[in-house]
């Protein structure tokens, strides 16, 4: 297990270095920040002065080494507007994290029961309903869903606020908008896993022993069916933690997604790099945790 | 295992709710009664929506990128030495008068006495000089006005006078610092307060404006309250706000802004043109500000590449009169735009050529002109229209470009539309990357570059920089050597100190540009705001970029 753990951590660090390097060079292909920060009409010498002050006049390898050196001391540099990148990211993180958890809550609370019921009552009206929800969830774009939710539940019914992070009720619509696609994904995955398990010998044996149906489903089938769902849920949570540009824009939510988009548009390289690294850390960490949990739950993984 | 999973799940839910409770701040937008308070002072709360707000704590003086997203509320907290009236004319703000010296090298601004900052300090001429020096000369400044630094010798404040000395006569200098033409460069800050608190000034700003800062919640909202100190000057008392409290909130998505108005969560909302009809139908109160933004199209090959067809005036005229401006204004802009006759002018703008009409739509003549130039069905002219969708700038530019391409197709011109990202387009423009910007480029396809702009943005300086050979940046649109008259006219305008005469020269300049088909002004669009029934009068003045402005002047409905 220790060897497995060390191997996975080494892979994670390697992945992080690769992503950091990639994003460092890619953002520099997108344009000259000195051109954007300065007025269109500023003299050339002033733009050059700005580039010098931002360190953009140095050779690319020097900029890269300096940036990577800073990362070892958790220094993500400063935004081109002067603020430390880490402060900017941390200021946005609670909004994104809380919304991600709320969306995850929606996805699990709706997705799991739908998947289970759909499998247990295969071919019934419940199954058709669940599969329709899954189809709808995976085919409807988030921006459209977000606008429809606002129209119905905020403008017409006046149940929830239109936008802004202003109390628990303001989480409902954006959490559904973000989590809906995951509801569909989880429901479909649980359904197919459950169907596999329900057809297995040991479940038939449990039924033959006369165990109540609820016990068979919850204790025997559901536990086994949950393992693939865990991987999916980890990836989903990772993507939620990146923030959703569309949903954050519609709900005026002050999260990481909108921040990253704004930083890309204004060529604020340090913020783009910081945001991508943060996103990469989320993904890698969650994947690592899921893998470890997987290994913990399934002994076959540990010894592979 | 169900137990193993249920624990983290439950924890996640709890953390989610805790974070939700911590992260959210319960507010009741639009709360409060309208109308005057029992003591005759302002009362009630006004909630105004703007597409974006910048983050708390950022240095707005020197950050060019921040000036427009801060301006909706910043200008109600801070005052300007020179303001502008509805016609765009310069009117006294913190200065009662401003006069040039005989040699045109010195401008003297006389500052009002007794004006109070929100912390009770009295505004001085030194505060004005400090504010202006910082924005022009601070090495950290990226503000638009930094382009003027080489022309300014010194800015000093003494007594109640601020003296600006320049290296060459600058007839348009007051516009550099004016409330709208100058962006936010002319806002006045307290030097003493900055020396006391340093960069905290940006997160806890004080000014002399009608509203004082209360709080800012990230990039979501700013809360202000009326400045009612009895010690404030008579001039400040005349500018007492109509509402006691003002909340400005950011909503980048247009449909969200509309929903906020519909649910009563906002009182003043900038509207997208697409939603205006629906809101009108629902009986919403709308305020239209004509001429808030404008667009133009330039032929990139013109004068810079000897082989470009655009060097032929017939081609330039044909490309301009083939555009059905009125049709685009009526259909795409649903009547909230009008054909434009000049770029960086427009109704109410200083130097607007009132008698100049927009180019007539005449596709038949366009076909004839193209035939004269050697282009017909067997040898069609090809063009590529380059455009960007810029939030907060002239709306619907890509759709306009598509419509123009359709107009061109009708006269046998093969047109394609390239919708790019604004900054990438600018990079290419200033990097001379478009076809036709350099000698030796293929004659076709002609690059037609569409640019949006607010109407009033110190016209002369901008035109002079873009269209003459004075700057390192110049000549990205035209080779000024090919049009010496253009440079001469612009320099003459910059040297004319009589404001009215200067306006006439600007109008002449626009007429001359139109006669020679040197550019293709397209449309001038309105800014439209939806307002709640709490809003009565509003001395809106001019709205560059279509953001809410001058909110202190909004009066409660009867």
């Amino acid at each position: 297990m220790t060897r497995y753990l060390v191997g996975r951590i080494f892979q994670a660090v390697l992945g992080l270095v690769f992503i950091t390097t990639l994003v460092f060079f890619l953002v520099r292909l997108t344009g000259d920040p000195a051109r954007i920060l300065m007025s269109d009409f500023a003299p050339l010498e002033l733009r050059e002065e700005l580039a010098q002050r931002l360190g953009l006049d140095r050779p690319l390898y020097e900029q890269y080494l300096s940036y990577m050196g800073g990362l070892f001391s958790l220094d993500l540099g400063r935004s081109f507007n002067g603020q430390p990148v880490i402060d900017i990211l941390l200021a946005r993180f609670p909004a994104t994290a809380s919304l991600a958890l709320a969306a995850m809550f929606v996805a699990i609370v709706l997705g799991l029961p739908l998947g289970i019921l759909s499998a247990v009552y295969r071919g019934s009206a419940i199954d058709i309903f669940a599969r329709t929800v899954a189809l709808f969830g995976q085919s409807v774009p988030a921006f459209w869903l977000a606008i429809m939710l606002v129209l119905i539940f905020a403008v017409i019914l006046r149940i929830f606020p239109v936008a802004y992070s202003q109390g628990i009720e303001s989480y409902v619509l954006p959490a559904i908008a973000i989590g809906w696609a995951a509801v569909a994904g989880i429901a479909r995955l649980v359904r197919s896993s459950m169907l596999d398990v329900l057809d297995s010998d040991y479940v038939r044996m449990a039924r033959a022993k006369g165990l109540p149906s609820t016990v068979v489903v919850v204790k025997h089938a559901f536990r086994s069916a949950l393992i693939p769902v865990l991987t999916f849920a980890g990836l989903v949570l990772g993507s939620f933690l990146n923030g959703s540009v569309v949903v954050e824009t519609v709900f005026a939510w002050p999260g990481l997604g909108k921040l990253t988009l704004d930083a890309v548009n204004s060529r604020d390289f340090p913020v783009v790099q910081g945001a991508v690294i943060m996103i990469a850390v989320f993904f890698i960490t969650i994947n690592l945790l899921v893998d470890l949990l997987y290994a913990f739950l399934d002994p076959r993984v540990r010894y592979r | 295992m169900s137990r193993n999973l249920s624990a983290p799940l439950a924890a996640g839910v709890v953390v989610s709710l805790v974070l939700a409770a911590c992260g959210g701040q319960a507010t009741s937008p639009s709360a409060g009664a309208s109308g005057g308070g029992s003591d005759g002072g302002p009362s009630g709360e006004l909630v105004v929506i703007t597409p974006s707000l910048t983050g708390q704590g950022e240095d707005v003086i020197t950050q060019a990128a921040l000036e427009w997203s801060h301006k909706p509320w910043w200008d109600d907290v801070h005052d300007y030495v020179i303001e502008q009236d509805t016609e765009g004319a310069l009117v006294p703000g913190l200065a009662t008068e401003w006069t040039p010296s005989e040699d045109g090298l010195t401008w003297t601004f006389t500052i009002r006495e007794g004006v109070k900052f929100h912390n009770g300090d009295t505004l001085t001429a030194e505060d004005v000089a400090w504010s202006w020096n910082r924005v022009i000369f601070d090495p950290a400044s990226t503000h638009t006005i930094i382009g003027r630094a080489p022309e300014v010798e010194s800015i000093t404040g003494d007594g109640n006078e601020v003296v600006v000395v320049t290296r060459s006569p600058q007839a348009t200098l007051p516009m550099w610092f004016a409330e709208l033409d100058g962006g936010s460069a002319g806002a006045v800050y307290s030097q003493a307060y900055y020396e006391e608190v340093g960069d905290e000034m940006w997160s806890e700003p004080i000014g002399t404006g009608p509203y004082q800062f209360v709080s800012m919640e990230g990039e979501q909202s700013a809360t202000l309250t009326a400045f009612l100190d009895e010690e404030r000057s008579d001039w400040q008392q005349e500018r007492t706000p109509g509402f006691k409290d003002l909340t400005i909130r950011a909503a980048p998505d247009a449909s969200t802004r509309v929903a906020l108005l519909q649910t009563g969560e906002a009182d003043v909302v900038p509207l997208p043109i697409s939603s205006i009809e629906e809101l009108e139908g629902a009986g919403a109160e709308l305020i239209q500000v004509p001429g808030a933004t404008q667009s133009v199209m330039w032929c990139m090959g013109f004068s810079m590449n000897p082989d470009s067809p655009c060097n032929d005036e017939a081609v330039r005229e044909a490309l301009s009169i083939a555009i059905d401006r009125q049709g685009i204004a009526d259909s795409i802009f649903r009547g909230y735009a009008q054909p434009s006759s000049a770029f960086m002018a427009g109704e109410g703008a200083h130097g607007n050529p009132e008698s100049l009409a927009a180019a007539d739509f005449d596709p038949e003549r366009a076909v004839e002109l193209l035939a004269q130039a050697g282009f017909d069905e067997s040898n069609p002219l090809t063009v590529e229209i380059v455009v960007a969708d810029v939030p907060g700038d002239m709306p619907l530019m890509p759709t306009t470009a598509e419509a123009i391409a359709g107009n061109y197709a009708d006269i046998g011109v093969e047109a394609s539309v390239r919708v790019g990202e604004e900054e990438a387009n600018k990079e290419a423009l200033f990097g001379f990357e478009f076809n036709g910007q350099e000698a030796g480029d293929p004659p076709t396809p002609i690059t037609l570059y569409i640019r949006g702009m607010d109407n009033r943005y110190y016209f002369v300086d901008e035109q002079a920089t873009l269209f003459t050979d004075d700057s390192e940046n110049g000549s990205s649109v035209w080779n000024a050597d090919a049009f010496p008259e253009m440079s001469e006219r612009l320099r003459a305008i910059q040297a004319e100190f009589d404001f009215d005469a200067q306006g006439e020269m600007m109008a002449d300049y626009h007429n001359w540009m139109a006669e020679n088909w040197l550019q293709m002004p397209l449309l001038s669009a309105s800014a439209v705001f939806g307002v709640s029934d709490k809003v009565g009068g509003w001395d809106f003045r001019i709205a560059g970029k279509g953001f809410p402005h001058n909110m202190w002047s909004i009066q409660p409905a009867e």
Side-chain angles (χ1 to χ4, degrees):
Chain A
M1 184 69 183
T2 308
R3 194 173 158 196
Y4 176 77
L5 183 67
V6 171
R8 290 294 291 112
I9 290 173
F10 179 72
Q11 282 175 9
V13 171
L14 212 60
L16 202 55
V17 171
F18 175 73
I19 288 164
T20 307
T21 305
L22 195 68
V23 71
F24 180 89
F25 289 104
L26 280 182
V27 292
R28 278 159 179 75
L29 296 175
T30 60
D32 176 12
R35 160 67 67 196
I36 295 167
L37 285 171
M38 277 279 179
S39 151
D40 289 353
F41 313 106
L44 184 64
E45 60 268 24
L46 290 173
R47 281 212 309 277
E48 287 173 350
E49 233 178 85
L50 178 67
Q52 192 179 6
R53 201 165 64 243
L54 299 176
L56 298 168
D57 61 330
R58 292 185 296 161
L60 210 51
Y61 76 89
E62 264 187 41
Q63 293 181 46
Y64 175 70
L65 291 176
S66 155
Y67 186 73
M68 293 304 279
L71 283 186
F72 283 109
S73 52
L74 295 179
D75 177 11
L76 293 174
R78 281 178 177 270
S79 157
F80 287 159
N81 68 28
Q83 291 185 297
V85 171
I86 192 78
D87 290 355
I88 294 173
L89 295 176
L90 290 178
R92 297 294 194 104
F93 182 66
T96 292
S98 55
L99 186 56
L101 290 175
M104 202 66 216
F105 176 72
V106 168
I108 290 172
V109 163
L110 297 181
L112 281 183
L114 269 180
I116 294 169
L117 291 173
S118 178
V120 172
Y121 300 102
R122 182 174 14 173
S124 68
I126 292 174
D127 185 25
I128 293 168
F129 171 75
R131 281 190 287 162
T132 308
V133 167
L135 184 70
F136 181 71
Q138 292 195 313
S139 56
V140 168
F143 78 89
W144 186 84
L145 180 64
I147 291 171
M148 287 301 111
L149 288 171
V150 169
L151 185 66
I152 296 166
F153 294 102
V155 176
I156 297 173
L157 299 175
R158 308 278 169 106
I159 298 173
F160 298 109
V162 172
Y164 305 116
S165 168
Q166 50 185 11
I168 287 176
E169 68 275 16
S170 65
Y171 280 73
V172 176
L173 300 185
I176 293 172
I178 291 178
W180 196 247
V183 169
I186 288 175
R188 286 171 72 109
L189 201 57
V190 170
R191 181 180 183 276
S192 65
S193 302
M194 284 286 287
L195 287 176
D196 285 347
V197 177
L198 287 173
D199 282 343
S200 65
D201 291 342
Y202 73 91
V203 169
R204 273 202 295 272
M205 172 64 78
R207 287 191 199 280
K209 281 166 64 181
L211 284 174
S213 182
T214 314
V215 175
V216 173
V217 170
V218 174
K219 196 173 176 186
H220 296 281
F222 179 61
R223 282 179 59 174
S224 302
L226 213 52
I227 291 177
V229 177
L230 198 63
T231 310
F232 179 73
L235 290 172
V236 165
L237 183 60
S239 67
F240 286 172
L241 285 170
N242 302 339
S244 162
V245 172
V246 170
V247 173
E248 285 180 8
T249 300
V250 171
F251 292 99
W253 201 267
L256 286 171
K258 182 79 173 34
L259 172 78
T260 310
L261 179 71
D262 290 344
V264 169
N265 285 336
S266 60
R267 307 290 191 279
D268 197 338
F269 293 168
V271 174
V272 177
Q273 287 163 189
V276 172
I277 290 170
M278 198 166 186
I279 289 165
V281 167
F282 290 152
F283 260 113
I284 289 171
T285 308
I286 288 171
N287 266 317
L288 185 62
L289 290 176
V290 168
D291 282 354
L292 294 177
L293 200 54
Y294 219 93
F296 175 73
L297 295 173
D298 187 347
R300 289 172 299 178
V301 175
R302 254 177 280 171
Y303 302 114
R304 208 175 279 162
Chain B
M1 192 179 82
S2 56
R3 190 174 296 167
N4 290 343
L5 284 174
S6 62
L9 185 67
V13 173
V14 170
V15 172
S16 169
L17 294 177
V18 169
L19 279 168
C22 296
Q25 188 179 56
T27 55
S28 84
S30 209
S34 62
S38 56
D39 58 354
S43 70
E45 184 194 14
L46 191 71
V47 178
V48 177
I49 305 298
T50 182
S52 68
L53 288 174
T54 42
Q56 190 172 15
E58 294 177 35
D59 178 347
V60 293
I61 283 192
T62 60
Q63 301 290 330
L66 304 183
E67 64 178 322
W68 289 112
S69 47
H70 247 80
K71 207 166 167 62
W73 68 274
W74 203 250
D75 283 7
D76 275 72
V77 173
H78 300 91
D79 283 317
Y80 289 76
V81 165
I82 298 172
E83 296 184 354
Q84 288 176 271
D85 67 13
T86 316
E87 301 301 315
L90 307 186
V91 296
L94 289 172
T96 51
E97 59 178 359
W98 49 96
T99 50
S101 61
E102 279 192 14
D103 62 4
L105 293 174
T106 303
W107 278 92
T108 302
F109 297 80
T110 306
I111 305 300
R112 287 180 197 277
E113 293 182 7
V115 173
K116 297 290 183 188
F117 280 108
H118 300 149
N119 65 353
D121 289 352
T122 303
L123 171 99
T124 64
E126 285 87 350
D127 288 315
V128 179
W130 177 81
S131 303
W132 289 1
N133 270 308
R134 187 151 191 267
V135 74
I136 291 184
F137 294 118
D138 190 316
S141 178
T142 59
H143 198 285
T144 309
I145 201 172
I146 196 168
R148 305 285 146 230
E151 292 151 16
V152 180
E153 179 79 42
S154 65
I155 302 173
T156 52
D158 189 25
N160 68 335
E161 287 187 342
V162 175
V163 178
V164 182
V165 180
T166 56
R167 295 191 168 91
S168 60
Q170 298 292 335
T172 56
L173 186 139
M175 294 165 92
W176 301 358
F177 301 107
E179 185 184 11
L180 292 164
D181 281 3
S184 59
V188 176
Y189 306 91
S190 166
Q191 181 180 2
Y193 182 61
Y194 182 77
E195 286 168 357
E196 183 189 332
V197 304
D199 285 340
E200 254 182 52
M201 183 161 94
W202 314 121
S203 49
E204 299 278 341
I206 63 156
T208 57
Y211 277 107
Q212 60 185 20
F213 177 81
V214 176
S215 66
M216 187 162 182
E217 193 186 327
E219 295 179 19
Q220 280 209 305
S221 67
T223 307
L224 314 177
T225 191
F227 178 49
L228 301 173
D229 189 331
E230 288 184 1
E231 298 292 312
R232 69 198 197 279
S233 71
D234 291 346
W235 179 74
Q236 287 174 297
Q237 293 197 25
E238 286 167 14
R239 299 152 66 86
T240 300
F243 286 87
K244 185 170 183 295
D245 297 312
L246 174 62
T247 300
I248 297 111
R249 309 190 130 205
D253 184 65
S255 62
T256 309
R257 295 200 293 272
V258 172
L260 287 165
L261 182 69
Q262 289 173 319
T263 56
E265 292 177 61
D267 300 308
V268 177
V269 177
L271 295 175
I273 283 168
S274 56
S275 65
I276 291 173
E277 274 180 9
E278 180 197 336
L279 284 170
E280 262 181 335
E285 190 74 33
L286 303 181
I287 293 179
Q288 185 184 170
V289 185
T293 51
Q294 199 175 72
S295 56
V296 70
M297 191 159 72
W298 294 317
C299 177
M300 289 288 117
F302 176 30
S303 83
M304 306 182 81
N305 176 14
D307 299 329
S308 170
C310 274
N311 289 307
D312 186 339
E313 188 177 316
V315 172
R316 300 201 299 270
E317 183 181 348
L319 289 174
S320 191
I321 64 175
I323 301 168
D324 182 5
R325 293 171 174 81
Q326 190 63 56
I328 295 171
D330 291 342
S331 56
I332 296 173
F333 286 83
R334 303 178 195 201
Y336 288 93
Q338 56 188 10
S340 177
S341 62
F343 183 52
M344 287 195 250
E347 198 178 336
H350 180 50
N352 182 48
E354 303 294 346
S355 59
L356 179 63
D360 285 333
F361 173 50
D362 192 347
E364 286 172 13
R365 179 167 163 71
V367 172
E368 288 169 17
L369 288 167
L370 287 178
Q372 279 175 32
F375 295 103
D376 52 25
E377 281 181 14
S378 61
N379 179 33
L381 179 65
T382 55
V383 301
E384 182 180 52
I385 303 171
V386 177
V387 69
D389 191 11
V390 188
D393 210 324
M394 177 77 178
L396 301 169
M397 288 206 288
T399 319
T400 302
E402 294 288 351
I404 292 171
N407 290 153
Y408 285 167
D410 291 343
I411 61 164
V413 172
E414 292 178 0
S416 60
V417 176
R418 181 170 133 191
V419 182
E421 190 248 352
E422 183 198 16
E423 296 305 337
N425 281 358
K426 275 193 195 171
E427 286 264 345
L429 175 68
F430 291 112
F432 293 78
E433 291 170 17
F434 291 120
N435 187 45
Q437 281 189 289
E438 287 182 305
D441 284 351
T444 56
I446 294 172
T447 306
L448 298 173
Y449 187 95
I450 295 184
R451 176 155 185 179
M453 183 72 78
D454 54 283
N455 277 337
R456 33 193 89 256
Y457 197 56
Y458 40 81
F459 153 87
V460 179
D461 299 306
E462 193 151 337
Q463 295 253 343
T465 313
L466 268 177
F467 308 151
T468 74
D469 54 354
D470 285 347
S471 156
E472 296 279 354
N473 295 325
S475 301
S476 57
V477 178
W478 290 298
N479 177 358
D481 292 340
F483 297 95
E485 192 180 343
M486 185 188 287
S487 304
E488 281 165 24
R489 281 174 178 271
L490 288 167
R491 290 198 188 100
I493 292 167
Q494 285 180 301
E496 178 54 66
F497 281 81
D498 181 300
F499 195 70
D500 293 336
Q502 189 188 69
E504 284 173 22
M505 291 167 75
M506 286 183 185
D508 282 348
Y509 168 86
H510 287 303
N511 279 308
W512 175 78
M513 292 286 281
E515 281 164 18
N516 292 282
W517 303 97
L518 297 181
Q519 60 185 353
M520 289 171 261
L522 297 175
L523 296 161
S524 173
S526 299
V528 184
F529 296 88
V531 296
S532 73
D533 56 9
K534 281 164 69 177
V535 174
W538 185 3
D539 177 15
F540 197 94
R541 304 197 187 171
I542 303 300
K545 307 274 185 193
F547 54 67
H549 189 255
N550 227 26
M551 289 173 281
W552 66 267
S553 71
I554 298 175
Q555 295 300 315
E558 290 294 325

